[in-house]
Amino acid sequence: MTRLCRPTLTSLGIAVGVTAAWLALHFAAVWRLDAPEHPGQALLALAGLTWLSVGLFIIAHDAMHGALVPGYPRVNAAIGRVALTLYAGFSWRKLIVKHMAHHRHAGTADDPDFGHGHRPMALWYIDFVRTYFGWREFFVLGGATIAYALILGPRWPYVAFWAIPSILASIQLFVFGTWLPHREAGAPFTDRHRARSTTLSVPLSLLTCFHFGGFHHEHHLHPAVPWWALPKTRVAR
């Protein structure tokens, strides 16, 4: 086994594991859980699905940079599309175009993720959602919700175990992956990437945003490095 194969297999293994865990917990929460009878389990399911939803987005993010299976753009695109569909029905094409623009024009008026400096976090988040959530996403999610309601019958409110974690994950991704790394506060940015890494420990970085926030500057410096290997890039500098 060559050195090149090991990180690829690791990335694929983690992607499969996160996706399988999301699917298993999703179906358990929607089809099996009696939330009123077990509110503690319902809260744990929401917390777990939120974190795993963040993971689905990070899998798609790595796929955008070709970090899942280097040299195979179609494989990366296929995996990314599946992850984004499960996460919130997002368009792969829209996200990859805008995310590449973010890397090319970080912190400028041409950056689709830029909050224009000192704007309040809530307004920045609203713009962030508007950038990525359009009519396509509305109809995909709406259609899926209606299909769930028809299939589930009286259990249709349990579709919230998909919608709520997706919304909470978007807030988590925004706060730790966009707002904290790119806001204009404190010390000036050190380079054209206009990005900072947070000072969280490695375990907290994993829990908050799969290292996407804790090592965000490292990601901008090494966009082809998969998320799980970002802590090593800081040590290597």
Side-chain angles (χ1 to χ4, degrees):
M1 185 181 298
T2 65
R3 184 174 299 177
L4 181 63
C5 291
R6 291 194 184 100
T8 299
L9 290 175
T10 300
S11 292
L12 287 174
I14 293 173
V16 170
V18 169
T19 304
W22 185 92
L23 286 169
L25 188 53
H26 171 81
F27 282 109
V30 172
W31 295 92
R32 306 287 296 178
L33 179 64
D34 188 344
E37 290 292 327
H38 303 283
Q41 292 182 16
L43 289 175
L44 287 175
L46 283 175
L49 284 168
T50 298
W51 186 69
L52 291 169
S53 294
V54 173
L56 287 175
F57 188 90
I58 298 302
I59 290 169
H61 169 264
D62 271 6
M64 293 177 199
H65 289 286
L68 283 178
V69 189
Y72 293 88
R74 291 184 179 179
V75 176
N76 283 287
I79 297 173
R81 284 190 174 95
V82 170
L84 288 177
T85 299
L86 293 176
Y87 170 66
F90 281 132
S91 165
W92 165 262
R93 175 51 53 188
K94 179 193 291 186
L95 259 72
I96 192 172
V97 168
K98 291 187 178 295
H99 188 66
M100 292 303 107
H102 165 65
H103 275 265
R104 288 193 303 270
H105 309 292
T108 71
D110 295 321
D111 180 356
D113 294 348
F114 185 46
H116 300 290
H118 302 283
R119 295 191 68 191
M121 182 175 66
L123 294 179
W124 190 345
Y125 173 71
I126 291 172
D127 284 344
F128 181 79
V129 172
R130 286 174 177 171
T131 297
Y132 294 103
F133 192 88
W135 286 110
R136 177 193 183 278
E137 290 72 26
F138 174 80
F139 284 116
V140 168
L141 291 178
T145 301
I146 292 172
Y148 256 116
L150 293 173
I151 296 170
L152 290 170
R155 288 182 61 88
W156 71 265
Y158 283 75
V159 75
F161 283 102
W162 182 29
I164 294 176
S166 296
I167 295 170
L168 294 176
S170 74
I171 297 172
Q172 192 167 331
L173 285 161
F174 169 74
V175 171
F176 292 100
T178 297
W179 183 68
L180 286 175
H182 290 291
R183 62 175 177 158
E184 294 184 356
F189 295 108
T190 59
D191 55 30
R192 69 171 185 83
H193 298 291
R194 299 180 64 81
R196 299 184 182 89
S197 296
T198 59
T199 57
L200 298 174
S201 65
V202 171
L204 282 177
S205 175
L206 172 62
L207 287 173
T208 54
C209 207
F210 285 76
H211 300 320
F212 188 55
F215 297 86
H216 198 79
H217 187 233
E218 284 79 4
H219 163 62
H220 274 263
L221 293 174
H222 310 284
V225 173
W227 69 265
W228 53 268
L230 284 174
K232 298 178 182 178
T233 64
R234 180 178 294 175
V235 174
R237 282 195 299 167

